[in-house]
Each structure stands twice: as structure tokens, then as C-alpha cells.
Amino acid sequence: MSETKTLASYIVNARFEDIPDDVRHEAARSLVNFMGVALAGSVDPAVDIAIRALTPFSGKPTAAILGRVERLDPLHASLMNGISSHVDDFDDTTPQNYIHPTSPVASAMFAYASANRVTGRDFLHAFVLGFEAESRIGNAVYPAHYDVGWHITGTAGIFGAAAAIGRLRGLSEQQMVWALGLAATQAAGLREMFGSMGKAFHPGRAAQNGYASAILAESGFTAGERGIEGPRGFAAVQSAKYDLTEVTRELGTDFNLRRNTYKPYPCGIVNHPTIESCIELHHAHQLRAGDIVAVRLRVAPLVLDLCNQQNITRGLQGKFSVYHGAAVGLVRGQAGLDEYTDAAVNDPAVTRVRERVTASGDPGLTEDQAHVEVELADGRRLTWFVEQSLGNIHRPLSDRQLDEKFRRSAARALPPDAIDIALDRCWRIAELENVGTLVDATVPAVQRA
Amino acid sequence: MSETKTLASYIVNARFEDIPDDVRHEAARSLVNFMGVALAGSVDPAVDIAIRALTPFSGKPTAAILGRVERLDPLHASLMNGISSHVDDFDDTTPQNYIHPTSPVASAMFAYASANRVTGRDFLHAFVLGFEAESRIGNAVYPAHYDVGWHITGTAGIFGAAAAIGRLRGLSEQQMVWALGLAATQAAGLREMFGSMGKAFHPGRAAQNGYASAILAESGFTAGERGIEGPRGFAAVQSAKYDLTEVTRELGTDFNLRRNTYKPYPCGIVNHPTIESCIELHHAHQLRAGDIVAVRLRVAPLVLDLCNQQNITRGLQGKFSVYHGAAVGLVRGQAGLDEYTDAAVNDPAVTRVRERVTASGDPGLTEDQAHVEVELADGRRLTWFVEQSLGNIHRPLSDRQLDEKFRRSAARALPPDAIDIALDRCWRIAELENVGTLVDATVPAVQRA
């Protein structure tokens, strides 16, 4: 029994008719969330730098980059889309494996669709299949793989990009086995990069290299036949413990997309219950920075494993600081994109409160829960407990909340009328005759023309 | 103490004057060996396929590919050079860490030097530094890293390419730290690919992605500051055991290049003592396939871990079959490039003997030793024992043997007079005003013009 072959066969042979309606709708929600977030991230300096550095190495500029006027070849456009859609740490999360799943898959697919005609129906189907490949392989190796330090969005993500592009290219089963093998042997990304541009580079490279894996396999470039399950394959090499049945169990009937979640705040998801508690406290008590003497957090232990940076100077670091999340929630009553800039991290009022926050890990709390106690200068002690944070699987963002998030995010890159067009095409993606028209709707120059 | 910073500082500040003469000469030997092997591999179908698949994504064709008429951008040329130089499994080996060290570093460097003017002196120095970075990082994680299934030529190789290209680009210390970090977070390559084109893809991607790491870092793309030694960095994530002192111990005084070795046979190095024994038996007894009833090998246990494939149909598989190595040695009395084609693997005489070989692992033997017993139809039993196989560190190929290897290898891609020119320029590399003239000497079209 070869998991690689079984998965490849499913990806090659699956039929759109067999994708349930709720899964199709969740796929559209994932793409709406992705696109807004990618547009917000497209103005980030990390994208500017990557485009400047790599344009001399780009092939013919046949592909648009989401939110940008520059054009590059589709592989480089995949990379840039991946950086844009993850650099704000605002993209989606499958909580059972902590993958940010849409970025590696959709970043490659939109680059592909901007250079090649793809119908919305084929696009949505290939996206579902890529998402499934990625998330199932992630399930197989989580948590040991993640715990040792792999950024699973990079490592699992490349399988999703290879599967989705391979499906769009119409690979044979043998070619798909090779594409997954070439993905396995390029799976990479270290959590040591968190807090630097390197983090967003991971889904970008996953998109780019997964795409290339499909293209190479299509041309006959061979790989090991058992890239996922072989004794020297992905699971055995990159995870101390793994369960390969996760790759194929209920394949085609159970869909990981049903367990996707969307963030209300652009930062590490484990900070969210703390942030929500602090925002609630801010609004309930009209808190100001000068009032706050001490802040004591009780959080799940994983929060301190991931987000324990307190002395920080850069916006990217703020995304992995539960202290910063608490501070902006208490001081500003919100935690949007503006709360994770370098300026916000160095805002004296925010810094003052951040330095007064202490945190302890409590194994009795889940990663959706946080308890916050604030001590005020007048002696009062305020507390708040979040049982299920907004955006988690039990309190998902509604379609309308996703609209709002899209509008706020996309406003960084697009004028208001262009935002409406792009949002409308995202929701109607399954009906589009050519997904390239959606990509065009995100490009300022095309919008102006 | 940060190994990443210490290593970066050394790479940025090292002086050519401080490289001892014997190390400079060994660097030239490494490059002679590399170039011959790359020229032989440049005609392999894996290179044809990769060029065909990826040319549509290549930037301006400013770089030559060793041995080929096509031109690509320098990143894609790096990839192709890496595939060419490893696809025959004929490149060099540092036995203390089983890295094939020159391919990832020199593949990127020759691509760079064909598109940018580089003096031979600067080239040789950057090569020494890249080799050192790669091999030291490999030493730090070997053997646990390799044993679990990483192809260390890919994983350690990317650091070497990043270091060498970063040095040629004149990166600052901070930029070099980022380049090493971006290399760390892309380090990849699974042993599951052995026997497929995926294996040679590893040093190719290492060259290409290491090069890109340097370019991105130069432009200000940030990475984690502790890519090698951080708690979620390369060593901790990719190796169950590691010794970081290997990265910096005697840096600048002890050179790993002194322990480089060159293969007489184009296959997995652990097969070499078996092959040499069989070649000796062939010549001593004028053996023919029909005479051979049984062949019994006693080899180091690692041989069976790496090269235990017996039922094979492809040349690439033959490189990892100690049975095939024994068969061609006994039947043909040689094990050159012609013995590792699909045709040779399917040669009835070779197949007949290969099927009669049995092998047992003997912990009392080193990987440089093998004992071979051949049983003949007339009842005789012949034995041979190799104590130190040719090409190992105690019986190195001489400069003249490297010349011979170069001539035989390069003949696959170049006419005789071009071979002489290329070989001469390889040996005199430190004196070249422009290394591009050496690259030009390897390109058939340029040679014809």
C-alpha cells in the first residue's frame, strides 16, 4: 500500500461533481480570505525586496502578481503571492495541524491562472484537491513535525501546490507520483525564521517549488516513487512520529477544508484569545495606557513556546509576541494591520504596557482560551476570560465578517471600486469562465486602465 | 556565541593570502574533477528534461550551462550544472560526512562567473570558503542527519553555495548571516530519491537556492539571525544529534578541502572496494560471465543500507547496487560510465552474474574494504580483499589520474582539442583573469565558433 500512489490517483481522477456544496462554499471563503490578506501584504517591504532582487532572474513576465503592477514569470509570481499572503500572518489556519493552508496552494494557482486560461470550476476543484493533499500530509506528521521546529506551512504546503498545479496541467498518475516526490524532496522551512521575512518566504517557496515539481514531472523528470511514505521519505525523515493513515483515510468523503479557520487579527493565532480578552477589557472600562500597572496572562503553554518575545522593535516580531497583542488590545482596543507595524511596536504607550505584561503557561487551558488580569493604578483588578476565541472553528467568521476583513485588507492596495469588483469575483469564482479576470481585478494598473 | 555569525564573519573577512598552497592545489584538483564529471553528465536525459521543462521560466540567458549549447539565467544555469555534475554519481566525496561537496558550490559559481566577470583568484578563494562552510556544517550534523535519511549533499550544499556567491557579491556580515539563514530554511533533499533523477536534483537546487539566498540577503531580505544553531534552526531541526563546535573549530587554519576524495568509478562510493576487488579478479583470471556460479561479498554494513538493490532495470539504479558493481567488475573488468547505462544494467551477461551475487554486512570491515569470493563452474573458489580502495583518502587519485578521468569524462560532451583547452584552464584557474573563459571552453558551440 503506497500512500503516494493512492493520493496521486485520487488527485488525478477526482470529479468536481463529487465535491459537496458546503466544501465548495468553504473553498470560496478560503479564497476570499486569502485574496484580501494577499492584497494587504502585497505592499509589504518584503515583497518589494523580493521583486527587486529576483526580477533579473525572471522569465517572460506572463503572470501578474496579486496587488502589484510588476509582472514576472509564473514561478516567480507564485513566490511573490506566497510572501504577500503570509507576511501579515493574517491568512487562514487549520487548527488540527497549524498549517496556513491556502497560501502555498492559491499563490501558485493564481500565478498559473494569470498566465494560462483556467475556468473557475477547474480552479476551485484543483484548489480543493491541493488543500486536501497538503492538509492530510500535515495531519500525518503533526504534532511531532511541528514541535521539533518545522514550519509546517512550508513543508506541507509544497505538496498542495504540486497537487493543484499538477491537476490543472492534467498530469498522469505516474507524473503525479513524481510531482509529489519532487515536492517531498524540497519540503523545507524552519520556525527559526519566525519574526523575519524568512517566515513569509516559506509559503512563497512552497508555491514556487510545488509548481516547478509539477512542471518537471510533466516533462518526465523522475523522483522516488514513495516520496511520502518511503523509509527515507518525507514522513520518516521529517517527523519522529507519524500516522500515514491520515493521508488516505476517507479520501474523497471527508474534506479538511471543513475545518479551516480565518483570523480576525493579523498575528500568530495562539495570541487571539489574549487579544480578544484585552479588547473586551479596553471597551468595557475605557482603559488608557497610563492607568495600567500590571497585566497577568494565563495562556496555553504552546503560546509561550511560540510567542514569548517581549523586547521587540519590529512589526514582524509583534506578531509573535503575546505581550504585544495584549498591549495593543488594552491600549488601542483593536488589533488590526496598523497594530503590527514597526511604528506600533515602538509606540511609547504600547511599549509601556507591553513591558508590564507577564504570562504563565497553564496546561488546563486550550489554545482557544486565555485569562487576563489587569491591575490599575487606582487599585482595581479587572479580569476577562475567553472560552472560545473569535475565528476559531466553533466561532467562525461569518461570510459578512470575511467581507469586512477583505475590504479593510484590500484597501491597502486597491481603490474602493476595484475592491468591490475583486470581492465579487472571489465569491463567484466557480462561475468565472477565466480566473485571469479575477487576478486582473487585483492589479492596480489594470484597474486604472 | 553564535556559530552563524562567526562563520559569516569569517567568510566575509577571510584573505586569499591566508589560504595555504596545498589547499589551493586541492581546490584546483576538486574543480578539475568537478568539471570533467559535469561535462560527462551534461549529456544525460535528466539535464535535457530539466532544460526543456524550465526554459519557459528562465530569465535572460546571460549564463552558459557547462557542456551545453543552451543558455539560461544564472539561477537556472546553477540548477543544470548541479544536475550534470551529480547525475553520474562520479563527483567528489568528503568521507567524514559523505557530502559530495564541489557540486553545489561550483555549480552556482560557474553559472555566476559565466554571467559576471570574476578573476580566478577570487573564484578559487570563494570556492574554498563555500566548501568550508558546507563541509563544516555537514560535520556538525553527521552522522545522525544522514542516517535518518537526509541527502546531506543537498542540505549542507546550499550553505556552501550561499557562502560562495555571497562572498563573490561582497555581502556585509549582516547580509551573510541572512544568506546563511535563508539557506538553512531551504535545506532539503531526501535519500528516498536515490535511484531517480531526484538525487541529482538536490545539488542543483542547493546551488540555485543558495545563490538566490545570497541575492535576496544582499537586497535586504531578512532571515532569522541564528539559522544554524538556533533552537528551531538547521542543526536542531534536521539532526537528532549534532556538535556545533565543528562549525567554527580551527576556522581558517584547518581546511576540509584537505580531506576531499575523487572517485574512480561513477557510482555510490561504498561500492568501490567491491568493484576494485572484482576488477582485479577479472584481470587475474580472465573471467567470463558463463564461468561464474556464485559471488559472495562481505562488506561494511552501510553498503547494504545504501546499495542493496538487486532487481534493477535502469542505469541510475545500478549506481546504488553493490550487486551490479560486482557484476560489471567481474564480467567487463571495468566500471566506467558505460557500465552504468540502462543498456549495461540490462546486458544479459551482467544480469546473469548480478543475480548470482549475495552480500553480507560485516561490522569488522570499514567502508574502504571489501572481501569477494567467486565460485566458478569448474569448482575453483577465487578470493580478493581490498584493504584501502583506490580513490580513498589514503590512496588518492594522482593529478595524472585526474587528468585521465577528465579526458574520458569530458569526451562525452567535447571534441579532443576542446578537452585540452578546458583541462588546462581548470588547472590554471587561479591565474585566469576571467573565469568566464573557462566556462566558454566547455561549451561546444563556443568551441566550434
Side-chain angles (χ1 to χ4, degrees):
Chain A
M1 161 72 171
S2 161
E3 283 74 13
T4 306
K5 279 201 173 61
T6 302
L7 184 61
S9 174
Y10 171 68
I11 298 163
V12 166
N13 298 310
R15 301 183 329 148
F16 186 64
E17 297 72 24
D18 297 331
I19 306 295
D21 283 344
D22 71 308
V23 173
R24 296 183 195 185
H25 183 65
E26 203 61 47
R29 281 165 53 85
S30 296
L31 293 171
V32 166
N33 183 74
F34 164 85
M35 187 62 82
V37 165
L39 290 169
S42 70
V43 301
D44 192 273
V47 184
D48 297 334
I49 291 170
I51 291 176
R52 192 168 70 237
L54 295 175
T55 293
F57 303 94
S58 172
K60 278 196 213 117
T62 58
I65 305 164
L66 301 173
R68 305 282 306 200
V69 295
E70 302 94 337
R71 297 174 67 85
L72 295 171
D73 73 72
L75 289 175
H76 278 104
S78 301
L79 170 63
M80 302 310 161
N81 292 344
I83 297 173
S84 292
S85 56
H86 192 56
V87 72
D88 286 320
D89 264 290
F90 210 5
D91 50 330
D92 51 1
T93 309
T94 33
Q96 82 272 16
N97 54 29
Y98 273 96
I99 298 175
H100 302 297
T102 297
S103 171
V105 183
S107 295
M109 293 185 71
F110 281 116
Y112 182 85
S114 88
N116 302 273
R117 192 179 182 88
V118 180
T119 68
R121 181 184 159 107
D122 287 347
F123 187 98
L124 200 72
H125 191 204
F127 172 69
V128 170
L129 298 173
F131 190 111
E132 207 60 24
E134 167 190 44
S135 190
R136 285 171 169 271
I137 291 168
N139 293 343
V141 296
Y142 188 88
H145 173 77
Y146 188 79
D147 289 347
V148 75
W150 288 108
H151 187 198
I152 192 169
T153 297
T155 55
I158 189 171
F159 292 99
I165 299 297
R167 169 76 193 204
L168 290 177
R169 297 291 309 165
L171 298 195
S172 70
E173 285 187 27
Q174 174 64 77
Q175 290 167 338
M176 189 64 82
V177 164
W178 290 337
L180 294 173
L182 292 171
T185 208
Q186 297 182 81
L190 302 173
R191 282 170 49 195
E192 193 66 32
M193 301 298 125
F194 286 16
S196 80
M197 295 176 186
K199 182 173 196 271
F201 187 64
H202 297 159
R205 273 302 211 217
Q208 180 182 23
N209 290 343
Y211 190 141
S213 297
I215 295 294
L216 283 161
E218 181 182 4
S219 291
F221 201 89
T222 66
E225 303 283 324
R226 307 181 70 209
I228 299 168
E229 76 280 4
R232 306 298 188 203
F234 171 74
V237 173
Q238 299 207 17
S239 200
K241 285 189 182 179
Y242 54 91
D243 176 5
L244 292 167
T245 67
E246 292 282 349
V247 178
T248 53
R249 182 164 55 211
E250 300 181 83
L251 191 56
T253 54
D254 180 60
F255 290 88
N256 279 247
L257 252 166
R258 288 181 173 133
R259 295 183 285 284
N260 200 13
T261 68
Y262 313 96
K263 289 180 178 180
Y265 316 118
C267 63
I269 198 167
V270 295
N271 296 332
H272 286 205
T274 294
I275 293 169
E276 185 178 344
S277 298
C278 291
I279 290 174
E280 294 287 353
L281 285 167
H282 171 91
H283 290 300
H285 302 282
Q286 279 78 48
L287 296 178
R288 291 178 315 169
D291 304 334
I292 296 168
V293 173
V295 181
R296 286 177 279 274
L297 313 179
R298 271 197 297 119
V299 292
L302 181 65
V303 180
L304 300 182
D305 184 33
L306 288 169
C307 295
N308 201 24
Q309 303 186 53
Q310 193 155 19
N311 294 313
I312 58 175
T313 57
R314 287 179 284 128
L316 278 179
Q317 294 174 309
K319 293 174 179 293
F320 297 93
S321 168
V322 71
Y323 311 100
H324 183 70
V328 295
L330 291 168
V331 173
R332 298 189 175 185
Q334 62 184 24
L337 291 164
D338 289 339
E339 277 65 51
Y340 290 94
T341 60
D342 290 355
V345 164
N346 295 299
D347 172 350
V350 171
T351 304
R352 183 183 184 284
V353 173
R354 189 169 64 231
E355 289 168 350
R356 285 168 168 70
V357 181
T358 55
S360 61
D362 180 345
L365 296 180
T366 72
E367 281 115 38
D368 295 320
Q369 300 177 329
H371 185 277
V372 176
E373 180 183 85
V374 178
E375 191 177 325
L376 300 182
D378 63 12
R380 279 185 297 160
R381 292 186 179 215
L382 314 173
T383 63
W384 200 278
F385 177 64
V386 162
E387 168 99 29
Q388 293 281 4
S389 57
L390 178 64
N392 90 2
I393 199 150
H394 302 289
R395 272 180 74 201
L397 295 190
S398 67
D399 289 0
R400 292 296 74 76
Q401 286 173 311
L402 286 174
D403 281 346
E404 272 314 293
K405 178 177 172 181
F406 185 99
R407 289 177 192 286
R408 283 196 310 272
S409 301
R412 302 216 147 194
L414 295 181
D417 54 336
I419 292 174
D420 290 336
I421 296 169
L423 179 56
D424 176 64
R425 289 184 190 166
C426 275
W427 281 119
R428 292 193 304 100
I429 190 162
E431 305 158 29
L432 298 180
E433 284 182 31
N434 181 355
V435 176
T437 61
L438 167 53
V439 179
D440 289 345
T442 76
V443 177
V446 175
Q447 289 309 300
R448 278 196 296 271
Chain B
M1 160 73 170
S2 161
E3 283 75 15
T4 306
K5 280 201 171 62
T6 303
L7 184 62
S9 175
Y10 171 67
I11 297 163
V12 166
N13 298 309
R15 301 183 329 149
F16 186 64
E17 296 72 24
D18 298 331
I19 307 295
D21 283 344
D22 70 308
V23 173
R24 296 182 196 185
H25 183 65
E26 202 62 46
R29 281 165 54 85
S30 297
L31 293 171
V32 166
N33 183 74
F34 164 86
M35 187 62 80
V37 165
L39 290 169
S42 71
V43 302
D44 193 273
V47 184
D48 297 334
I49 292 170
I51 291 176
R52 191 168 71 237
L54 295 175
T55 293
F57 303 95
S58 172
K60 279 198 212 113
T62 58
I65 305 164
L66 301 172
R68 306 281 307 199
V69 294
E70 302 94 337
R71 297 175 64 86
L72 295 171
D73 73 72
L75 289 175
H76 278 103
S78 300
L79 170 63
M80 303 311 161
N81 292 344
I83 296 173
S84 293
S85 55
H86 192 57
V87 71
D88 286 320
D89 264 290
F90 210 4
D91 50 331
D92 51 0
T93 310
T94 32
Q96 82 272 16
N97 54 29
Y98 273 95
I99 298 174
H100 303 296
T102 297
S103 171
V105 184
S107 294
M109 293 185 72
F110 281 115
Y112 182 84
S114 88
N116 302 273
R117 192 179 182 86
V118 180
T119 68
R121 181 185 160 105
D122 287 347
F123 187 98
L124 200 72
H125 191 203
F127 173 69
V128 171
L129 298 173
F131 191 111
E132 207 60 24
E134 167 190 43
S135 190
R136 286 170 168 271
I137 291 168
N139 293 343
V141 296
Y142 188 88
H145 173 77
Y146 188 78
D147 288 348
V148 75
W150 288 108
H151 187 197
I152 192 169
T153 297
T155 56
I158 189 171
F159 292 100
I165 299 298
R167 169 76 194 205
L168 290 177
R169 297 292 308 165
L171 298 194
S172 70
E173 285 187 27
Q174 175 65 76
Q175 290 167 338
M176 188 65 82
V177 164
W178 291 336
L180 294 173
L182 292 170
T185 209
Q186 296 181 82
L190 302 173
R191 282 170 50 195
E192 193 66 31
M193 301 298 124
F194 285 15
S196 79
M197 295 177 187
K199 182 173 196 272
F201 187 63
H202 298 159
R205 273 302 211 216
Q208 179 181 23
N209 291 343
Y211 190 141
S213 298
I215 295 295
L216 283 161
E218 182 182 4
S219 291
F221 201 90
T222 66
E225 304 282 324
R226 307 181 71 209
I228 298 168
E229 75 280 3
R232 306 297 188 205
F234 171 73
V237 173
Q238 299 207 18
S239 199
K241 285 189 181 178
Y242 53 91
D243 176 4
L244 292 167
T245 66
E246 293 281 350
V247 177
T248 53
R249 183 165 55 211
E250 299 182 83
L251 191 56
T253 54
D254 179 59
F255 290 88
N256 280 247
L257 252 167
R258 289 183 173 132
R259 295 183 285 284
N260 201 14
T261 68
Y262 313 96
K263 289 180 178 180
Y265 316 118
C267 62
I269 198 167
V270 296
N271 296 331
H272 286 206
T274 295
I275 293 169
E276 185 178 343
S277 298
C278 291
I279 290 175
E280 294 288 353
L281 286 167
H282 171 92
H283 291 300
H285 302 280
Q286 278 79 47
L287 295 179
R288 291 179 314 170
D291 303 333
I292 296 168
V293 173
V295 181
R296 285 178 279 274
L297 312 179
R298 272 198 296 119
V299 292
L302 181 65
V303 180
L304 299 182
D305 184 33
L306 288 170
C307 294
N308 201 24
Q309 303 186 53
Q310 193 155 19
N311 294 314
I312 59 175
T313 56
R314 287 179 286 127
L316 278 179
Q317 293 174 308
K319 293 172 180 292
F320 297 93
S321 168
V322 71
Y323 310 100
H324 182 70
V328 295
L330 291 168
V331 173
R332 298 189 175 185
Q334 61 184 24
L337 291 163
D338 289 340
E339 276 64 53
Y340 290 95
T341 60
D342 290 355
V345 164
N346 295 299
D347 173 349
V350 171
T351 303
R352 184 183 185 282
V353 172
R354 190 169 62 231
E355 289 169 350
R356 285 167 168 69
V357 181
T358 55
S360 61
D362 180 345
L365 297 180
T366 73
E367 282 115 38
D368 294 320
Q369 300 178 329
H371 185 277
V372 176
E373 180 183 84
V374 178
E375 191 177 326
L376 300 182
D378 63 13
R380 278 186 297 160
R381 291 186 180 215
L382 314 173
T383 63
W384 200 278
F385 177 64
V386 162
E387 167 99 28
Q388 293 282 3
S389 57
L390 178 64
N392 90 2
I393 198 150
H394 303 290
R395 272 179 76 200
L397 296 191
S398 67
D399 289 1
R400 293 296 74 78
Q401 286 173 312
L402 285 174
D403 281 346
E404 272 314 294
K405 178 177 172 182
F406 184 100
R407 288 177 193 285
R408 283 196 309 274
S409 301
R412 301 215 148 194
L414 295 182
D417 54 335
I419 292 173
D420 290 336
I421 296 170
L423 179 56
D424 176 64
R425 288 184 189 165
C426 274
W427 282 119
R428 292 193 304 101
I429 190 163
E431 305 158 27
L432 297 180
E433 283 183 31
N434 181 355
V435 176
T437 60
L438 167 53
V439 179
D440 288 345
T442 76
V443 177
V446 174
Q447 289 307 302
R448 277 196 296 270

